[in-house]
Amino acid sequence: MTAAPTAGGTVLADHLTRLAGALPPLREAEHLLARWGGELAYRLAGGGRLLVAGNGGSAAEAQHLTAELVGKLRDDRQPLSAIALHAETSALTAIANDYGYDEAFARQVRAHGRPDDHLLLLSTSGTSTNLLTAAHAAHDTGLRCWALTGPAPNPLADLCHERLAVDSPDAQVVQELHLVAVHVLCEYVDRALPAALAARAPAGPVRTGVEVVLGDPAPEVQTR
């Protein structure tokens, strides 16, 4: 999937040329990333979680995303629940050993995922069987499934509810622009988070417990 260098160009110049060629189509994805960021902010503010997975370089990009959400992108804020399934090395190797590598992520999706949580899968090719199996598990469990892939159509893009497909034949360029998409997505999460938290806040003070009202021969017990 990696493009051959252009004759006569340097390695860096060729790489930047391929990267620049894939940038204009990515600009069209901003409305999608903005919507994803808003949706994710409301889900995470409400106690939901984001599960992510990928293989190789895509695993690194996915783990970068969870680091930004559990930590922070730029400004301080509350931590948000995001789990990189490929980073659970003991679970990953145990599942792969007992059930096969195709089940390495799917079994974790079934373990950790709750209805209306989100699963984000990253793949340059969109053909990795363990990611396709995880997407099927997401559908079975009731998770919303998104994908970051290379050129579409591809099986993973078709299987997920929504996808952002980077239109480049070069896997390196695809991974680099997935990182750009990760940063933009996190920026939109942070922008939407204050409104999401405000929407989840109780409308007024909540009183709980038992209140005893004195001053009467037979004290009245009122629940609040």
Side-chain angles (χ1 to χ4, degrees):
M1 188 175 175
T2 301
T6 303
T10 67
V11 172
L12 177 59
D14 289 344
H15 189 92
L16 292 178
T17 296
R18 294 193 296 272
L19 185 62
L23 285 174
L26 184 64
R27 293 181 182 275
E28 300 175 6
E30 179 153 13
H31 67 286
L32 176 65
L33 291 170
R35 182 163 52 78
W36 281 9
E39 186 175 334
L40 198 55
Y42 276 83
R43 178 59 52 200
L44 299 181
R49 71 194 74 182
L50 173 68
L51 308 180
V52 300
N55 295 295
S58 294
E61 308 294 6
Q63 199 166 340
H64 192 123
L65 170 59
T66 60
E68 304 285 24
L69 294 175
V70 178
K72 66 175 182 177
L73 177 67
R74 187 175 291 111
D75 300 322
D76 191 31
R77 51 141 170 83
Q78 71 174 59
L80 301 172
S81 181
I83 302 172
L85 302 180
H86 54 274
E88 298 286 339
T89 54
S90 293
L92 181 76
T93 53
I95 295 167
N97 186 62
D98 294 341
Y99 298 96
Y101 194 60
D102 291 350
E103 287 289 327
F105 301 138
R107 191 168 179 85
Q108 293 186 74
V109 169
R110 289 190 286 269
H112 299 304
R114 301 294 181 267
D116 298 324
D117 283 349
H118 283 63
L119 174 67
L120 177 60
L121 301 171
L122 292 84
S123 173
T124 57
S125 68
T127 61
S128 300
T129 303
N130 58 355
L131 298 180
L132 298 174
T133 308
H136 282 294
H139 287 292
D140 294 342
T141 313
L143 276 70
R144 184 105 175 125
C145 187
W146 296 336
L148 295 179
T149 75
N154 62 70
L156 184 61
D158 293 341
L159 190 55
C160 290
H161 293 102
E162 293 187 281
R163 48 81 170 167
L164 190 162
V166 174
D167 189 16
S168 173
D170 190 329
Q172 297 171 21
V173 168
V174 172
Q175 288 175 356
E176 289 160 6
L177 294 186
H178 281 177
L179 180 56
V180 172
V182 161
H183 281 151
V184 173
L185 174 62
C186 290
E187 183 77 42
Y188 276 115
V189 169
D190 282 3
R191 291 187 180 192
L193 191 59
L197 292 171
R200 294 288 180 175
V206 177
R207 303 176 66 184
T208 61
V210 176
E211 178 180 335
V212 179
V213 180
L214 303 178
D216 189 281
E220 178 186 359
V221 178
Q222 301 178 347
T223 60
R224 293 286 188 260

